[in-house]
Amino acid sequence: MAIATADPLTGTQPLTEAGIVRKVAWRLMPLIMVCYLFAFFDRINISFAKFQLQSDLGFSNVAYGLGASMFVVGYVIFEVPSNLALYRVGARRWIARIMISWGIATALMIFIRTEWHFYVLRFLIGAMEAGFAPGILYYLTLWFPASFRGRITSFMFVASAFAGILGAPVAGLILGGLNGVAGLAGWQWLFLAGGLPCLILGALVLTRLDDRISDARWLSAEEKDLLSSRIAHHNRDIGDHSLWGAIKQPGFLLVALVYFLLQVGSYGLNFWGPDLIKTASGGAAASVGFLTAIPYLCGAVSMIVIGRLSDASGERPKFVAGLAIAAAAGFFLAGLFDKQIVPLMIALALLGSGIVASIPTFWTLPAKLVTGVGAAGGIALINTLGQFGGIVSPVMVGWVKDLTGSTTPALYGIGCLCLVAAGLLLFAMPESLRRNDRSV
């Protein structure tokens, strides 16, 4: 869509929807991506610290799995209230508050000495970070038309892949190179590196983000009008529901179930990928870190490609289902080759291409159901229900490994759950979710 804004003789180019979206993306997405990179690193740094943490503090696999899961417990309890507060207070101030508070809580991890210290601080980090990801996802629906959200959401989640691509090697170098420096263990330096930069990023959010299109002084009046009208056009058949109204929408709870299943797979990779690589390779922390980056690199490439393809086709559920099937194949192959490093890395590359890329494509679905406060609370509730997968996955895999000495049975189980998610997406979704974005 294009509108003329000046006499052609002046050389002024007509405004286009794509041009304005590009301008908005360059303004908002770099900072959002960096913030999300640290948010995702905050979730997975515990997996990199696992070996040193268990060695120094004597934690069992069950204690580690429970502590890792306590993050999710705090997150899910406070997620919906946090996003409802964001809707009332405004994204700029609330997202900044989230980042500063979780950065402080993460840095405090250097003081843990007992299992209970571990559990309490992990819970606190989750509570402080609650609402960040769904808050950002809701924020993006205010700025980008539906036909662009696949690639825009993918760019946001590319940051999560880069948290693995860059975070894994950096974590390995910190764990190996700073261990013992200034009397701190490598895992303590790792938590400082994850927490303190968030204080600076929180301050940048306050100065760089705007709550609404109407607040953006860097857009002209014509640009604001065109962008607002396109978003309103895409939302014309979607009701502005309350949270309860959102829950009652056909397909809402089904979408939450799909996200739960995908998150079981995602956390399976995040928490146990380094453990699988360490066991198969016997390598040092730095080499394990570099190998762990491979699945996330494949996921980053897959995100960008699938984001563009899903925007072009508008067939969102089919793309998410295909990625879930790829993830299932990766889990099955990882279980089959868990002691052989080369085929294991091929399996993890396939797994990363599927499960890492499935998340941003999935998040184009909830905006088909709700807008307004229903979207703010509904997106948070879907994310909350999905995050229970982050409780089930690490505890289940840790319990199976302690019981059998192997992660293989748990990997097969997670692969089956990914297939269930694909089946629901292909055969159980209501018409509102099957609606092609290109037709609106």
Side-chain angles (χ1 to χ4, degrees), residues 52 56 173-190:
Q52 278 194 9
D56 288 354
L173 294 172
I174 290 174
L175 290 168
L178 295 182
N179 192 32
V181 173
L184 298 177
W187 60 267
Q188 291 173 307
W189 281 110
L190 186 62

PDB file of all heavy atoms in Angstrom, residues 52 56 173-190:
ATOM      1  N   GLN A  52      30.495 -26.848  36.832  1.00  0.00           N
ATOM      2  CA  GLN A  52      31.229 -26.203  37.922  1.00  0.00           C
ATOM      3  C   GLN A  52      30.366 -26.039  39.151  1.00  0.00           C
ATOM      4  O   GLN A  52      30.826 -26.245  40.280  1.00  0.00           O
ATOM      5  CB  GLN A  52      31.748 -24.833  37.470  1.00  0.00           C
ATOM      6  CG  GLN A  52      33.033 -24.872  36.676  1.00  0.00           C
ATOM      7  CD  GLN A  52      33.660 -23.490  36.550  1.00  0.00           C
ATOM      8  OE1 GLN A  52      33.234 -22.530  37.179  1.00  0.00           O
ATOM      9  NE2 GLN A  52      34.707 -23.385  35.735  1.00  0.00           N
ATOM     10  N   ASP A  56      31.375 -27.622  42.648  1.00  0.00           N
ATOM     11  CA  ASP A  56      31.723 -26.756  43.773  1.00  0.00           C
ATOM     12  C   ASP A  56      30.756 -26.887  44.939  1.00  0.00           C
ATOM     13  O   ASP A  56      31.164 -26.826  46.114  1.00  0.00           O
ATOM     14  CB  ASP A  56      31.754 -25.287  43.323  1.00  0.00           C
ATOM     15  CG  ASP A  56      32.948 -24.973  42.440  1.00  0.00           C
ATOM     16  OD1 ASP A  56      33.805 -25.865  42.266  1.00  0.00           O
ATOM     17  OD2 ASP A  56      33.020 -23.840  41.930  1.00  0.00           O
ATOM     18  N   LEU A 173      34.503 -19.643  27.786  1.00  0.00           N
ATOM     19  CA  LEU A 173      35.724 -18.878  28.051  1.00  0.00           C
ATOM     20  C   LEU A 173      35.713 -18.290  29.465  1.00  0.00           C
ATOM     21  O   LEU A 173      36.744 -18.259  30.146  1.00  0.00           O
ATOM     22  CB  LEU A 173      35.876 -17.770  27.014  1.00  0.00           C
ATOM     23  CG  LEU A 173      36.129 -18.240  25.572  1.00  0.00           C
ATOM     24  CD1 LEU A 173      36.074 -17.060  24.607  1.00  0.00           C
ATOM     25  CD2 LEU A 173      37.470 -18.970  25.473  1.00  0.00           C
ATOM     26  N   ILE A 174      34.542 -17.792  29.904  1.00  0.00           N
ATOM     27  CA  ILE A 174      34.440 -17.241  31.259  1.00  0.00           C
ATOM     28  C   ILE A 174      34.669 -18.326  32.300  1.00  0.00           C
ATOM     29  O   ILE A 174      35.429 -18.142  33.259  1.00  0.00           O
ATOM     30  CB  ILE A 174      33.061 -16.582  31.467  1.00  0.00           C
ATOM     31  CG1 ILE A 174      32.959 -15.293  30.641  1.00  0.00           C
ATOM     32  CG2 ILE A 174      32.820 -16.276  32.948  1.00  0.00           C
ATOM     33  CD1 ILE A 174      31.586 -14.658  30.661  1.00  0.00           C
ATOM     34  N   LEU A 175      34.024 -19.474  32.103  1.00  0.00           N
ATOM     35  CA  LEU A 175      34.148 -20.569  33.076  1.00  0.00           C
ATOM     36  C   LEU A 175      35.590 -21.063  33.172  1.00  0.00           C
ATOM     37  O   LEU A 175      36.076 -21.382  34.264  1.00  0.00           O
ATOM     38  CB  LEU A 175      33.221 -21.718  32.684  1.00  0.00           C
ATOM     39  CG  LEU A 175      31.716 -21.458  32.840  1.00  0.00           C
ATOM     40  CD1 LEU A 175      30.917 -22.551  32.141  1.00  0.00           C
ATOM     41  CD2 LEU A 175      31.339 -21.394  34.314  1.00  0.00           C
ATOM     42  N   GLY A 176      36.267 -21.110  32.013  1.00  0.00           N
ATOM     43  CA  GLY A 176      37.640 -21.602  32.034  1.00  0.00           C
ATOM     44  C   GLY A 176      38.663 -20.526  32.345  1.00  0.00           C
ATOM     45  O   GLY A 176      39.622 -20.769  33.084  1.00  0.00           O
ATOM     46  N   GLY A 177      38.458 -19.304  31.800  1.00  0.00           N
ATOM     47  CA  GLY A 177      39.474 -18.270  31.915  1.00  0.00           C
ATOM     48  C   GLY A 177      39.394 -17.428  33.172  1.00  0.00           C
ATOM     49  O   GLY A 177      40.420 -16.888  33.622  1.00  0.00           O
ATOM     50  N   LEU A 178      38.209 -17.280  33.757  1.00  0.00           N
ATOM     51  CA  LEU A 178      38.066 -16.429  34.942  1.00  0.00           C
ATOM     52  C   LEU A 178      37.892 -17.226  36.226  1.00  0.00           C
ATOM     53  O   LEU A 178      37.724 -16.634  37.300  1.00  0.00           O
ATOM     54  CB  LEU A 178      36.869 -15.481  34.761  1.00  0.00           C
ATOM     55  CG  LEU A 178      36.986 -14.445  33.639  1.00  0.00           C
ATOM     56  CD1 LEU A 178      35.755 -13.553  33.596  1.00  0.00           C
ATOM     57  CD2 LEU A 178      38.248 -13.598  33.821  1.00  0.00           C
ATOM     58  N   ASN A 179      37.929 -18.540  36.135  1.00  0.00           N
ATOM     59  CA  ASN A 179      37.765 -19.372  37.327  1.00  0.00           C
ATOM     60  C   ASN A 179      38.887 -19.085  38.325  1.00  0.00           C
ATOM     61  O   ASN A 179      40.065 -19.267  38.028  1.00  0.00           O
ATOM     62  CB  ASN A 179      37.765 -20.850  36.940  1.00  0.00           C
ATOM     63  CG  ASN A 179      37.323 -21.738  38.082  1.00  0.00           C
ATOM     64  OD1 ASN A 179      36.505 -21.336  38.912  1.00  0.00           O
ATOM     65  ND2 ASN A 179      37.851 -22.950  38.132  1.00  0.00           N
ATOM     66  N   GLY A 180      38.521 -18.576  39.490  1.00  0.00           N
ATOM     67  CA  GLY A 180      39.504 -18.269  40.525  1.00  0.00           C
ATOM     68  C   GLY A 180      39.963 -16.825  40.536  1.00  0.00           C
ATOM     69  O   GLY A 180      40.622 -16.391  41.492  1.00  0.00           O
ATOM     70  N   VAL A 181      39.628 -16.037  39.491  1.00  0.00           N
ATOM     71  CA  VAL A 181      40.039 -14.638  39.445  1.00  0.00           C
ATOM     72  C   VAL A 181      39.272 -13.848  40.510  1.00  0.00           C
ATOM     73  O   VAL A 181      38.052 -13.971  40.647  1.00  0.00           O
ATOM     74  CB  VAL A 181      39.769 -14.037  38.049  1.00  0.00           C
ATOM     75  CG1 VAL A 181      40.037 -12.533  38.041  1.00  0.00           C
ATOM     76  CG2 VAL A 181      40.643 -14.738  37.001  1.00  0.00           C
ATOM     77  N   ALA A 182      39.997 -13.025  41.281  1.00  0.00           N
ATOM     78  CA  ALA A 182      39.420 -12.204  42.357  1.00  0.00           C
ATOM     79  C   ALA A 182      38.666 -13.046  43.377  1.00  0.00           C
ATOM     80  O   ALA A 182      37.742 -12.569  44.038  1.00  0.00           O
ATOM     81  CB  ALA A 182      38.500 -11.134  41.779  1.00  0.00           C
ATOM     82  N   GLY A 183      39.067 -14.308  43.496  1.00  0.00           N
ATOM     83  CA  GLY A 183      38.446 -15.184  44.482  1.00  0.00           C
ATOM     84  C   GLY A 183      37.080 -15.702  44.111  1.00  0.00           C
ATOM     85  O   GLY A 183      36.390 -16.305  44.938  1.00  0.00           O
ATOM     86  N   LEU A 184      36.661 -15.489  42.854  1.00  0.00           N
ATOM     87  CA  LEU A 184      35.360 -15.956  42.396  1.00  0.00           C
ATOM     88  C   LEU A 184      35.514 -17.126  41.435  1.00  0.00           C
ATOM     89  O   LEU A 184      36.451 -17.165  40.633  1.00  0.00           O
ATOM     90  CB  LEU A 184      34.595 -14.830  41.694  1.00  0.00           C
ATOM     91  CG  LEU A 184      34.244 -13.586  42.524  1.00  0.00           C
ATOM     92  CD1 LEU A 184      33.554 -12.549  41.645  1.00  0.00           C
ATOM     93  CD2 LEU A 184      33.353 -13.962  43.706  1.00  0.00           C
ATOM     94  N   ALA A 185      34.589 -18.076  41.539  1.00  0.00           N
ATOM     95  CA  ALA A 185      34.576 -19.204  40.616  1.00  0.00           C
ATOM     96  C   ALA A 185      34.103 -18.743  39.241  1.00  0.00           C
ATOM     97  O   ALA A 185      33.469 -17.686  39.093  1.00  0.00           O
ATOM     98  CB  ALA A 185      33.657 -20.306  41.143  1.00  0.00           C
ATOM     99  N   GLY A 186      34.377 -19.549  38.234  1.00  0.00           N
ATOM    100  CA  GLY A 186      33.952 -19.205  36.889  1.00  0.00           C
ATOM    101  C   GLY A 186      32.444 -19.044  36.777  1.00  0.00           C
ATOM    102  O   GLY A 186      31.960 -18.143  36.084  1.00  0.00           O
ATOM    103  N   TRP A 187      31.688 -19.908  37.477  1.00  0.00           N
ATOM    104  CA  TRP A 187      30.228 -19.795  37.397  1.00  0.00           C
ATOM    105  C   TRP A 187      29.717 -18.495  38.036  1.00  0.00           C
ATOM    106  O   TRP A 187      28.695 -17.955  37.609  1.00  0.00           O
ATOM    107  CB  TRP A 187      29.547 -21.013  38.030  1.00  0.00           C
ATOM    108  CG  TRP A 187      29.846 -21.271  39.484  1.00  0.00           C
ATOM    109  CD1 TRP A 187      30.822 -22.074  39.990  1.00  0.00           C
ATOM    110  CD2 TRP A 187      29.134 -20.728  40.616  1.00  0.00           C
ATOM    111  NE1 TRP A 187      30.779 -22.067  41.367  1.00  0.00           N
ATOM    112  CE2 TRP A 187      29.753 -21.258  41.777  1.00  0.00           C
ATOM    113  CE3 TRP A 187      28.065 -19.858  40.755  1.00  0.00           C
ATOM    114  CZ2 TRP A 187      29.324 -20.932  43.065  1.00  0.00           C
ATOM    115  CZ3 TRP A 187      27.623 -19.535  42.041  1.00  0.00           C
ATOM    116  CH2 TRP A 187      28.258 -20.069  43.171  1.00  0.00           C
ATOM    117  N   GLN A 188      30.448 -17.977  39.027  1.00  0.00           N
ATOM    118  CA  GLN A 188      30.051 -16.702  39.622  1.00  0.00           C
ATOM    119  C   GLN A 188      30.280 -15.550  38.644  1.00  0.00           C
ATOM    120  O   GLN A 188      29.448 -14.641  38.520  1.00  0.00           O
ATOM    121  CB  GLN A 188      30.833 -16.472  40.916  1.00  0.00           C
ATOM    122  CG  GLN A 188      30.429 -17.437  42.038  1.00  0.00           C
ATOM    123  CD  GLN A 188      31.310 -17.317  43.258  1.00  0.00           C
ATOM    124  OE1 GLN A 188      32.544 -17.394  43.157  1.00  0.00           O
ATOM    125  NE2 GLN A 188      30.693 -17.120  44.413  1.00  0.00           N
ATOM    126  N   TRP A 189      31.400 -15.571  37.941  1.00  0.00           N
ATOM    127  CA  TRP A 189      31.649 -14.560  36.912  1.00  0.00           C
ATOM    128  C   TRP A 189      30.594 -14.631  35.811  1.00  0.00           C
ATOM    129  O   TRP A 189      30.188 -13.614  35.240  1.00  0.00           O
ATOM    130  CB  TRP A 189      33.042 -14.741  36.313  1.00  0.00           C
ATOM    131  CG  TRP A 189      34.148 -14.202  37.162  1.00  0.00           C
ATOM    132  CD1 TRP A 189      35.101 -14.910  37.847  1.00  0.00           C
ATOM    133  CD2 TRP A 189      34.416 -12.821  37.427  1.00  0.00           C
ATOM    134  NE1 TRP A 189      35.936 -14.062  38.516  1.00  0.00           N
ATOM    135  CE2 TRP A 189      35.554 -12.763  38.285  1.00  0.00           C
ATOM    136  CE3 TRP A 189      33.813 -11.631  37.029  1.00  0.00           C
ATOM    137  CZ2 TRP A 189      36.085 -11.575  38.735  1.00  0.00           C
ATOM    138  CZ3 TRP A 189      34.339 -10.433  37.484  1.00  0.00           C
ATOM    139  CH2 TRP A 189      35.473 -10.412  38.327  1.00  0.00           C
ATOM    140  N   LEU A 190      30.144 -15.850  35.509  1.00  0.00           N
ATOM    141  CA  LEU A 190      29.139 -16.023  34.463  1.00  0.00           C
ATOM    142  C   LEU A 190      27.833 -15.315  34.823  1.00  0.00           C
ATOM    143  O   LEU A 190      27.218 -14.642  33.982  1.00  0.00           O
ATOM    144  CB  LEU A 190      28.889 -17.517  34.240  1.00  0.00           C
ATOM    145  CG  LEU A 190      27.967 -17.898  33.082  1.00  0.00           C
ATOM    146  CD1 LEU A 190      28.555 -17.442  31.754  1.00  0.00           C
ATOM    147  CD2 LEU A 190      27.727 -19.402  33.072  1.00  0.00           C
TER     148      LEU A 190
END
